[in-house]
Amino acid sequence: MTNLKLGYLGVNSAQREEWLKIGHALGLGLANETTDDVLYFRLDEYRNRIAIHQSDQEGFAYVGWDCGSPQVLRARIAAIKAAGIDVVVESEELAAERGVCELASFHDINGFRTEFYYGAMVHNDPMHHLEPVEGHFVTADEGMGHVVYAVPDLAKTRDFYIDALDFRLTDMTRGPWLTIDFLRCNPRHHSLGLMQGRGPASFQHLMLQVETLDDVGRAYDRAEKQGIKIACTLGRHNVEKMVSFYIETPSGFDIEFGSGAIRVDDEENWSAKVYDPGSHWGHTWLRKWG
Ligand SMILES: [Fe+2]
């Protein structure tokens, strides 16, 4: 069994000021490495968690998974190649730009640029949140959060991540309007969500988790005050029990911001379950789904 961690997300955007507003609303940190070309947000000691690349394109650019060691990186490269997918061992220059030792990349079966690495750069300096917060982001052995893709063929995509990348199926939702498989690769309930889409593949959301419910509520207040669009109101998910809300980013996807998700610490005895897609309470979508 391989433990991977969601390490970073790269985004192309022309909307630097809007992203800075999001950074303030959510209490992110700004890394010293930030330049005119790349805005680097921190969540913890790592330099590179969310990179906003100045661009005339808008949207998802890449996702990075921390393999933790050279052995795991090499094993994953071999498994992805065995699945018939080309893997590029990236240059030292690109690895340095991402702030990691060794980096490989491929495009998954839906075209999402996916990077694998080990040895990410950390800072000794404590992180300075852009706004005062009461607790930390929940990262460490759970990685930086989770990502959710909407995909045209859910079963095929799930099998690829399970077979080639050693993800495990944690839970599912099944319903007339929402079908999702939740996959884990460490104790976080899910680091990857795969949603049955109705069109081409798209990046749906990034989730960031904080320790305290108060930080969720205070971020909600700041987002509203700064005019950031709330995509979905506060609510508690049935599946991983997180209390969260969703904001719209200017780059075509949402950020879910929450607290209180359960973990999977007993790998051997976990059984995947099927839930109704509704939430326990709340989570009213303010945006209409196409
Ligand atoms: Fe989520």
Side-chain angles (χ1 to χ4, degrees):
M1 191 187 74
T2 305
N3 269 6
L4 302 172
K5 296 182 197 94
L6 181 63
Y8 56 70
L9 178 74
V11 178
N12 291 321
S13 182
Q15 306 288 330
R16 186 181 173 98
E17 289 310 310
E18 289 302 307
W19 273 103
L20 275 169
K21 265 170 47 175
I22 289 171
H24 277 275
L26 303 183
L28 309 182
L30 199 56
N32 296 336
E33 287 78 4
T34 289
T35 64
D36 289 345
D37 292 331
V38 192
L39 199 54
Y40 287 113
F41 286 119
R42 287 176 65 181
L43 303 177
D44 50 17
E45 72 272 30
Y46 287 96
R47 182 202 96 175
N48 184 21
R49 288 303 203 178
I50 305 170
I52 310 296
H53 296 264
Q54 190 66 34
S55 173
D56 50 11
Q57 310 273 312
E58 201 68 54
F60 171 94
Y62 54 84
V63 64
W65 298 93
D66 187 350
C67 293
S69 71
Q71 297 93 307
V72 173
L73 175 63
R74 278 155 210 165
R76 287 306 103 210
I77 290 172
I80 298 159
K81 282 184 177 167
I85 290 183
D86 289 337
V87 181
V88 177
V89 175
E90 295 289 356
S91 65
E92 283 181 22
E93 287 74 21
L94 188 62
E97 194 184 311
R98 299 284 195 264
V100 301
C101 277
E102 267 190 57
L103 181 71
S105 73
F106 67 97
H107 288 85
D108 81 357
I109 60 172
N110 296 296
F112 293 109
R113 181 180 165 93
T114 305
E115 301 184 351
F116 277 74
Y117 65 89
Y118 72 89
M121 186 189 286
V122 293
H123 282 301
N124 289 332
D125 306 340
M127 185 184 114
H128 296 293
H129 296 264
L130 289 168
E131 296 289 336
V133 295
E134 294 176 19
H136 297 289
F137 282 91
V138 176
T139 56
D141 64 344
E142 297 185 60
M144 73 177 280
H146 69 234
V147 286
V148 174
Y149 301 148
V151 297
D153 189 334
L154 176 57
K156 194 172 160 197
T157 307
R158 180 191 60 205
D159 288 349
F160 170 74
Y161 276 93
I162 288 175
D163 295 342
L165 302 173
D166 210 15
F167 280 67
R168 284 85 74 187
L169 180 65
T170 309
D171 283 318
M172 296 158 272
T173 60
R174 292 290 182 268
W177 54 276
L178 196 58
T179 296
I180 306 178
D181 285 353
F182 299 94
L183 304 180
R184 72 184 181 282
C185 53
N186 60 53
R188 185 178 288 286
H189 177 277
H190 59 282
S191 295
L192 177 64
L194 299 173
M195 180 186 289
Q196 180 61 60
R198 296 193 191 96
S202 63
F203 182 60
Q204 214 283 326
H205 72 259
L206 165 72
M207 188 286 299
L208 303 175
Q209 183 176 346
V210 284
E211 286 176 332
T212 76
L213 185 58
D214 285 340
D215 277 335
V216 178
R218 286 159 60 90
Y220 195 106
D221 286 349
R222 286 194 297 264
E224 278 198 317
K225 220 174 271 174
Q226 291 178 20
I228 293 169
K229 275 194 194 147
I230 305 289
C232 180
T233 62
L234 202 63
R236 186 186 290 278
H237 284 301
N238 275 329
V239 183
E240 85 278 30
K241 320 300 180 206
M242 172 176 277
V243 174
S244 64
F245 67 97
Y246 296 66
I247 58 163
E248 284 186 29
T249 73
S251 307
F253 63 91
D254 297 334
I255 293 180
E256 179 182 12
F257 196 77
S259 185
I262 59 167
R263 289 165 52 102
V264 178
D265 283 310
D266 187 359
E267 269 286 337
E268 282 186 14
N269 290 305
W270 185 267
S271 291
K273 300 169 290 304
V274 175
Y275 288 84
D276 180 272
S279 288
H280 188 47
W281 55 265
H283 280 152
T284 302
W285 283 93
L286 303 179
R287 183 186 52 224
K288 286 228 177 338
W289 287 88

